[in-house]
Amino acid sequence: MKRILKFLRHHKKESILAPAFKMLEALFDLLVPLLMADIINRGIASGDDGYVLTGCGIMVLLGIIGLVCSITAQYFSAKAAVGACAVVRRSLFERIQALDFSDTDSLGTSTLITRMTSDVNQLQNGLNLLLRLLLRSPFVVFGAMVMAFIVSGKEALVFVAVIPVLSVIVFGIMLKTIPRYKTVQTKLDSITQSARENLTGVRVVRAFGREEEETREFEAKNSSLRSSQLNVGGISALLNPLTFVVINVGIIAILKLGGFEVNTGTLKAGSVIALVNYMSQILLELIKLANLIIQITKAMACAQRIDSVLEMKPSMSFGELSADDADSDIAVEFDHVSLTYTGSGEASLSDISFTAKKGQTIGIIGGTGSGKTSVVNLIPRFYDATSGTVRLFGRDIKEYDKQSIRRTVSTVMQKTLLFSGTIRSNLLWGNANATDEELWAALETAQAAEIVRSKPQGLDEPVEQGGRNFSGGQKQRLSIARSLVANPDILILDDSASALDYATDAALRAAIASLKNELTVFIVSQRANSLIHADLILVLDEGILVGKGTHEQLLATCDVYRDIYDSQFKKAGATA
C-alpha cells in the first residue's frame, strides 16, 4: 500500500487541500449544536424572537459555507484519486509489458486483466474516500467528545465510554474482512479466466457439445464467489447495527442523566439537545467511517494485488552487446539446449543441438506437442533455456540487449493477430519509419498485395480488433508482411502458412528465398512439402531431436520423418 500511496506525490496540493477543506467543513458542523443550544437556552427560553432569527441565519450561513467546503474537498479528492490511479494504470501496464513470457504465463492473463481494471477502480474509489473521510470522521468523533466536555463534563463521560467500544467494533470487523476480500478478488480472477476462455474458444465449445459442462463449471465458480461475497458482506453488515446499538445506548444514557440534571437545575435543556446532537454526529460519522473502512479494506486488498505485479522483476537479464555489430557466419547455434516451462513437470525440449548458417533455410517438423514452437521461441529469447546455450551470431544470446535481438529476429507467431487500426498501422509495427514502397514490397513478398489492392482504401483500410474482418489466410499473409517490413536478419515463420493453399505457400517460399542472401529463415510447418527444399530440416518427437539433415538424408535415416512424409504423400497417391 505504501508503494501505491507514493503515486499521490504527483498530486500533493490536491491531497492536502481535500482533507483540509473537509476538516473545515467538520469544524462548522461541530459549531452548529453549540449554536443551537445557545438559541434554545437564551432565545427560546426568554422569548427573544430576534435572537432566534439571528441564530438561525448564522446556522444557514454555516451550512452554506460547509457545503462549499464539501464540494471543494470532493473536487480535489476526485482529482487526486483519478490522477494517481492513471499513473498506477500506466505503471502497471509498463510493468506487464516488461515482464517475460514465463512471468506472464505464471501470473495468467485473467488476473492481469482483473488487476488492470477492477482492482484499479476499487483503489480509485478507496483513495477518493480516504482523502475525504479518513481525517474528517475521527476529527468529528473526537471533536464531538471535546465539545461534550465543554457543554457538560459529567455527561461527556458517556462519550468516553462509547467511543472505545465503537473503535473495537470498527477495527475488529476491518481485521476480519481484509483477508476475505482478497479471497473474493482471487475468485473473481477465476471467473474472468473462465469467461475469457469460453468467449475465445466458443467455436470449440460448441463443436464438442460442451455447453452444459462449461455452464456447470462456470456456475460452480460463480456460486463459490457468491458464497465468499455473502460471507464477507455478512461480516461487514454487522458494522451498522452494532454501531447503532452502542450509539443509541449512549443517547439513552445522555437523556437519563441530562434529564436528571435539568430537573435539578444544573444543566439547561438546550445543552442536553446539543449533547444528543453530538452523539448523533458521532453516529453519522461512524456510519461514514464504516463505509470508508469497507471500501478501504477492498482497496487495500486490491492495492496489494497490484503491488505484487509492480514488485515483480523480469526473470531475464539482458547484456549490452548489439546484435547489429555481431559478425559470424553462424546465425543460430543450439548447444545441448533443454527447456522446461515454469510449473511444468516435464521438459519440453531435451538436449537439442544444431547449427544454422547465414542465408540457410531451416525447416522444423514434428507432431503436435513435439516442441517445434519451443525451439523457435528460444531464438528471439522469449524464453531462456533451462540448460545448454543458445548462440546468436557466435555469441551467447544472453550477452545481447533486448532491442537489438528484436530488430535482428522477426517472428510470425503461430497464432496470428492483427491490431485494431488500419493495414498501414499494422505493417508499421515492423518498422515505424518504413515508406509506402517498403510496405508494398513486403506485401508482394508475403503474397498479400492483392488483398490490399482489393480493399477500397488500400493501405488505409480499417482493421477490426483481432483482424476479425479478414480471413485466416489473409491475416497470416499480412502478419508475414509485417515481419518482413522489419528487414530482419533472421525470419521465423511459426506454422504461419497453415491457412494458405499449396500454390500460395509455394509462391511465398519462393519470394522469401529471393530476398537478401544472408537472410536466415526458420520455417515451422506440419507440411513436409513446405520443407523439402530447406537446407536443414530438424525433426522433433516429444521434445527430442530425432533427426536432422536434408530431405533426402532424412528419408533414408529418420523413421519419424519418413512416416510424416508417407502419410502426406504416398498414402494420398502423391509424388514428391
Side-chain angles (χ1 to χ4, degrees):
M1 189 68 178
K2 290 181 180 179
R3 180 192 294 267
I4 301 298
L5 291 176
K6 286 181 181 178
F7 290 110
L8 284 172
R9 70 179 183 272
H10 302 291
H11 303 275
K12 288 182 180 178
K13 182 184 74 175
E14 291 84 356
S15 300
I16 294 172
L17 289 175
F21 275 98
K22 268 295 177 182
M23 298 281 278
L24 191 59
E25 178 204 2
L27 183 61
F28 290 127
D29 287 347
L30 290 173
L31 293 175
V32 169
L34 281 181
L35 182 59
M36 184 180 295
D38 186 59
I39 292 173
I40 294 171
N41 293 336
R42 295 180 60 182
I44 295 177
S46 62
D48 187 348
D49 294 338
Y51 193 88
V52 172
L53 291 174
T54 301
C56 290
I58 295 173
M59 288 178 63
V60 171
L61 180 62
L62 289 176
I64 293 172
I65 295 173
L67 177 62
V68 172
C69 291
S70 178
I71 294 172
T72 305
Q74 175 64 51
Y75 169 78
F76 284 121
S77 63
K79 185 176 180 180
V82 171
C85 285
V87 179
V88 171
R89 285 191 188 91
R90 183 168 63 249
S91 300
L92 191 57
F93 189 78
E94 288 174 353
R95 174 60 62 192
I96 292 171
Q97 290 296 319
L99 294 177
D100 306 316
F101 279 31
S102 56
D103 299 326
T104 53
D105 289 345
S106 61
L107 283 172
T109 305
S110 58
T111 185
L112 291 175
I113 292 173
T114 303
R115 295 181 202 205
M116 277 283 294
T117 53
S118 174
D119 285 358
V120 175
N121 286 337
Q122 290 279 15
L123 177 63
Q124 181 176 306
N125 293 334
L127 287 176
N128 195 342
L129 290 174
L130 184 75
L131 293 172
R132 288 191 292 121
L133 299 179
L134 183 64
L135 294 180
R136 185 191 192 282
S137 293
F139 177 78
V140 170
V141 170
F142 289 103
M145 185 174 67
V146 171
M147 289 295 187
F149 273 103
I150 294 174
V151 174
S152 171
K154 186 176 180 180
E155 299 287 333
L157 294 177
V158 176
F159 289 77
V160 175
V162 165
I163 290 175
V165 175
L166 292 172
S167 300
V168 170
I169 293 172
V170 167
F171 288 103
I173 289 177
M174 181 182 70
L175 292 174
K176 285 284 187 182
T177 53
I178 286 176
R180 287 172 170 80
Y181 278 120
K182 292 181 184 177
T183 302
V184 167
Q185 289 301 119
T186 302
K187 291 184 177 181
L188 182 61
D189 286 346
S190 180
I191 289 282
T192 304
Q193 180 182 13
S194 180
R196 182 176 180 275
E197 286 179 346
N198 276 272
L199 290 171
T200 304
V202 62
R203 295 178 184 273
V204 178
V205 172
R206 292 179 179 177
F208 285 90
R210 296 273 301 180
E211 293 94 338
E212 293 184 3
E213 290 84 349
E214 290 297 316
T215 300
R216 283 196 296 269
E217 183 179 340
F218 184 85
E219 286 179 351
K221 292 179 180 179
N222 198 27
S223 297
S224 178
L225 176 61
R226 183 180 67 245
S227 298
S228 297
Q229 287 178 321
L230 289 174
N231 178 262
V232 69
I235 297 173
S236 298
L238 292 173
L239 200 56
N240 281 357
L242 290 177
T243 52
F244 267 100
V245 168
V246 174
I247 288 293
N248 283 308
V249 169
I251 291 175
I252 291 170
I254 289 172
L255 291 174
K256 183 177 181 180
L257 295 173
F260 177 76
E261 290 192 32
V262 169
N263 288 334
T264 59
T266 57
L267 191 68
K268 294 182 178 180
S271 299
V272 175
I273 292 174
L275 290 170
V276 171
N277 279 335
Y278 281 127
M279 189 62 78
S280 299
Q281 280 189 354
I282 291 175
L283 173 61
L284 292 174
E285 290 305 319
L286 284 171
I287 292 173
K288 293 178 184 178
L289 187 61
N291 292 327
L292 171 65
I293 289 171
I294 291 172
Q295 189 62 48
I296 287 180
T297 52
K298 292 180 181 179
M300 287 176 64
C302 293
Q304 290 175 0
R305 285 159 48 82
I306 294 169
D307 198 44
S308 65
V309 178
L310 293 175
E311 285 183 343
M312 284 191 70
K313 303 296 182 184
S315 56
M316 291 182 183
S317 58
F318 290 81
E320 298 180 355
L321 186 66
S322 175
D324 300 329
D325 300 330
D327 185 17
S328 174
D329 290 335
I330 298 176
V332 177
E333 181 182 0
F334 276 47
D335 185 6
H336 299 286
V337 170
S338 298
L339 173 64
T340 303
Y341 290 108
T342 303
S344 177
E346 298 181 358
S348 298
L349 296 175
S350 300
D351 197 31
I352 305 295
S353 296
F354 69 88
T355 300
K357 295 182 179 180
K358 281 185 177 180
Q360 284 190 327
T361 297
I362 311 298
I364 303 177
I365 196 169
T368 302
S370 60
K372 303 185 296 297
T373 296
S374 297
V375 169
V376 295
N377 278 343
L378 293 174
I379 299 173
R381 207 183 170 199
F382 293 151
Y383 295 90
D384 267 339
T386 309
S387 62
T389 305
V390 178
R391 296 187 181 90
L392 199 64
F393 303 116
R395 302 290 292 269
D396 190 331
I397 196 170
K398 295 180 181 179
E399 298 179 21
Y400 295 105
D401 70 272
K402 181 190 287 188
Q403 293 305 319
S404 67
I405 295 175
R406 300 295 189 260
R407 287 194 304 269
T408 302
V409 182
S410 191
T411 305
V412 184
M413 300 288 188
Q414 187 173 18
K415 182 179 179 181
T416 55
L417 177 67
L418 299 178
F419 293 90
S420 56
T422 63
I423 293 176
R424 185 194 304 277
S425 67
N426 273 272
L427 295 179
L428 290 176
W429 274 63
N431 179 6
N433 299 318
T435 63
D436 281 6
E437 290 75 14
E438 291 172 324
L439 298 183
W440 281 109
L443 289 168
E444 291 287 355
T445 303
Q447 310 302 302
E450 288 303 319
I451 299 173
V452 180
R453 291 193 184 98
S454 65
K455 301 297 181 181
Q457 299 182 51
L459 288 170
D460 296 314
E461 182 72 16
V463 177
E464 295 180 8
Q465 181 182 1
R468 291 193 302 260
N469 53 331
F470 291 89
S471 67
Q474 290 174 334
K475 286 193 289 185
Q476 284 188 339
R477 282 178 277 176
L478 290 172
S479 297
I480 294 169
R482 178 172 58 195
S483 290
L484 290 171
V485 169
N487 194 27
D489 294 314
I490 299 172
L491 177 64
I492 298 173
L493 304 177
D494 185 6
D495 204 14
S496 53
S498 58
L500 305 183
D501 57 65
Y502 284 99
T504 305
D505 186 15
L508 171 65
R509 286 185 281 109
I512 291 175
S514 66
L515 296 176
K516 61 182 182 181
N517 294 331
E518 293 189 345
L519 176 64
T520 305
V521 182
F522 284 82
I523 301 176
V524 177
S525 181
Q526 300 278 5
R527 299 174 179 175
N529 180 62
S530 299
L531 310 178
I532 286 176
H533 301 291
D535 300 300
L536 177 68
I537 301 174
L538 308 177
V539 185
L540 294 173
D541 186 31
E542 296 184 356
I544 300 172
L545 186 61
V546 295
K548 60 181 177 179
T550 62
H551 170 68
E552 291 77 12
Q553 291 171 340
L554 291 172
L555 282 179
T557 60
C558 182
D559 293 337
V560 174
Y561 182 79
R562 188 164 49 247
D563 289 342
I564 294 172
Y565 179 80
D566 289 345
S567 66
Q568 295 180 11
F569 288 88
K570 292 187 177 179
K571 290 183 180 179
T575 58

